[in-house]
Amino acid sequence: MKHTEFWGRMEAALGSAYARSWAHDFVMAELGDRTVEQALAAGLPPKQVWLAVWRALELPMSER
């Protein structure tokens, strides 16, 4: 998964206005107590980060 696909999925799940804010503020234990932005900046693969987001938001299987 590329970063552009990741951010497209984030916007589809949370809306374009809220996705970046959520990614900046929401700390996730599954990402090593980091936010989405911090995890991506640390080099975690976007697919790994997306799966953590997917679980946290309890999104449907179709969005996995």
Side-chain angles (χ1 to χ4, degrees), residues 6 9-10 46-54 59 63-64:
F6 172 84
R9 288 183 183 204
M10 286 289 291
K47 182 67 175 184
Q48 180 182 346
V49 177
W50 173 251
L51 290 175
V53 169
W54 176 79
L59 297 172
E63 295 184 29
R64 187 165 188 230

Side-chain angles (χ1 to χ4, degrees), residues 23 26-39 42-44:
F26 192 77
V27 176
M28 300 175 63
E30 188 172 345
L31 297 176
D33 293 324
R34 293 181 276 206
T35 67
V36 165
E37 285 184 353
Q38 291 168 335
L44 268 67

